[in-house]
């Protein structure tokens, strides 16, 4: 909704003949205030420090998955390929690294806004800058920059692929690299594979099978590179660490905005077990079905966002900062002139942090109201999937 308001406000001023410079000025001002606010808050960029420690561990030839970094003693949770890419982070000092990470993430936010507009089929001068100026203040983006996370990079890589023209020889590269860095984006490859097989059986051609094959090839090449460079760490990750969801953190943590987190808080347990397995399986099946149907209808924007929301819901841990996908979701809803664009307000409330949280694990004793507040992102995601599933096709709407 906020995105729509900004876009309409800009359009009401005919005296502004050059909207792009105005949008750039507003965006830079918003970013500057944001940067000042984060510095005043004393953000630690703790995840960025973990990435740097992983790079140092690789350079030292030490055990990657025995490493613990920062005062919080955080472990390595990503595949070994990520640690290889993190090694350049060790070449500059921490203050310079924090500044570089902030600038890079702000640039990626603008890229995410531009790709979201492209996905939704919108072409308006300066619109991406207006969107970025607002989106930087939503909780997932704020927290991504606060921790120095790579969520914006992953989202941009995936959207770069899914907004390519048919037959683009590079399409699939972004998904493959994103999945090699962090496994969750691999669901996009599965979605494209199912869509391609379904389309081929109906006689409509192989697209997007080529994208799927390229994504799988890039993923395998990156993983094989890591296996050659880090054979022990690779063996350990793919045979053990990949199955240990508890290494990432407590399931009931209020920041865990996945189905597993919701069920852990609802059942007052740190391990929702089979309840989560069943819920995740059903959600994955339904979400992928919604995404594939939209893709077969030629509605790539709905297909992409439905797949992204499905991945966030079924992942064992989806921290609140993983929900940067709220940007393309809200842009799509605004482009469709849907009242559901109000979902964007959910991600600007910071409401999940209003409930008791901390190292003493108070989330295990949440009240009903507290559970609702700490389940806002999954509830919004479920609502979006329901909307995507129930909306009529383009043909039926135009008939």
């Amino acid at each position: 909704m906020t995105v729509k308001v900004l876009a309409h406000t800009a359009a009401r001023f005919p005296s502004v003949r050059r909207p792009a410079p105005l949008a750039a000025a507003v965006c830079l001002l918003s970013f500057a205030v944001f940067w000042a606010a984060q510095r005043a808050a004393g953000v630690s960029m703790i995840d960025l420090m973990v990435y740097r420690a992983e790079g140092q561990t690789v350079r030292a030839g030490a055990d990657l998955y025995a490493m613990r970094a920062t005062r919080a003693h955080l472990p390595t949770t990503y595949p070994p390929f990520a640690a290889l890419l993190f090694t350049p982070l060790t070449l500059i000092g921490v203050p310079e690294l924090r500044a570089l990470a902030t600038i890079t993430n702000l640039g990626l936010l603008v890229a995410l806004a531009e790709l979201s507009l492209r996905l939704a089929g919108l072409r308006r001068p300066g619109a991406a800058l207006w969107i970025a100026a607002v989106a930087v203040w939503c909780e997932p983006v704020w927290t991504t920059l606060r921790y120095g996370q790579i969520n914006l990079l992953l989202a941009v890589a995936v959207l770069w692929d899914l907004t390519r023209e048919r037959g683009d020889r590079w399409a699939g590269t972004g998904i493959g690299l994103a999945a090699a860095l962090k496994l969750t984006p691999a669901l996009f490859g599965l979605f494209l594979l199912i869509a391609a097989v379904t389309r081929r059986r109906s006689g409509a051609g192989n697209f997007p099978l080529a994208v799927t094959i390229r994504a799988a090839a890039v993923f395998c090449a990156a993983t094989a590179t890591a296996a050659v460079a880090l054979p022990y760490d690779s063996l350990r990750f793919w045979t053990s660490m990949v199955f240990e969801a508890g290494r990432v953190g407590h399931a009931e943590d209020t920041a865990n905005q996945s189905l597993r987190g919701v069920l852990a808080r609802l059942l007052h347990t740190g391990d929702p077990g089979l309840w989560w397995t069943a819920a995740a399986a059903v959600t994955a099946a339904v979400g992928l079905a919604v995404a594939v149907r939209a893709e077969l209808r030629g509605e790539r924007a709905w297909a992409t966002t439905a797949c992204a929301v499905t991945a966030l819901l079924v992942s064992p841990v989806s921290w609140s900062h993983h929900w940067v996908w709220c940007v393309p979701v809200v842009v799509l809803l605004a482009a469709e002139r849907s009242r559901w664009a109000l979902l964007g307000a959910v991600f600007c409330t910071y409401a999940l942090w209003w409930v008791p949280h901390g190292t003493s694990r108070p989330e295990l004793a949440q009240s009903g109201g507290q559970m609702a507040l700490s389940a806002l992102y999954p509830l919004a995601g479920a609502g979006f999937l329901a909307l995507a599933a129930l909306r009529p096709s383009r043909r039926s709407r135009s008939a």
Side-chain angles (χ1 to χ4, degrees), residues 114 116-124 127 131 331-332 334-336:
E114 178 61 36
S116 298
L117 289 166
R118 185 183 302 175
L119 183 71
L122 296 178
R123 292 290 191 277
R124 295 180 181 175
I131 293 170
V331 168
L332 172 61
E336 295 274 328

Side-chain angles (χ1 to χ4, degrees), residues 6 19-35 103 105-111 113-114 126-137:
L6 280 172
L22 176 62
V26 172
C27 186
L28 286 174
L29 177 61
S30 179
F31 283 1
V33 175
F34 172 87
W35 197 325
I103 293 171
N105 266 329
L106 290 174
L108 287 169
L109 177 58
V110 175
E114 178 61 36
L129 296 172
W130 285 105
I131 293 170
V134 175
V136 73
W137 297 98

Side-chain angles (χ1 to χ4, degrees), residues 81-128:
F81 179 69
L84 283 181
L85 294 189
F86 293 152
T87 53
L89 302 182
T90 64
L91 303 179
I92 59 177
V94 171
E96 294 80 9
L97 178 60
R98 287 174 173 164
L100 179 61
T102 301
I103 293 171
T104 301
N105 266 329
L106 290 174
L108 287 169
L109 177 58
V110 175
L112 178 63
E114 178 61 36
L115 290 171
S116 298
L117 289 166
R118 185 183 302 175
L119 183 71
L122 296 178
R123 292 290 191 277
R124 295 180 181 175

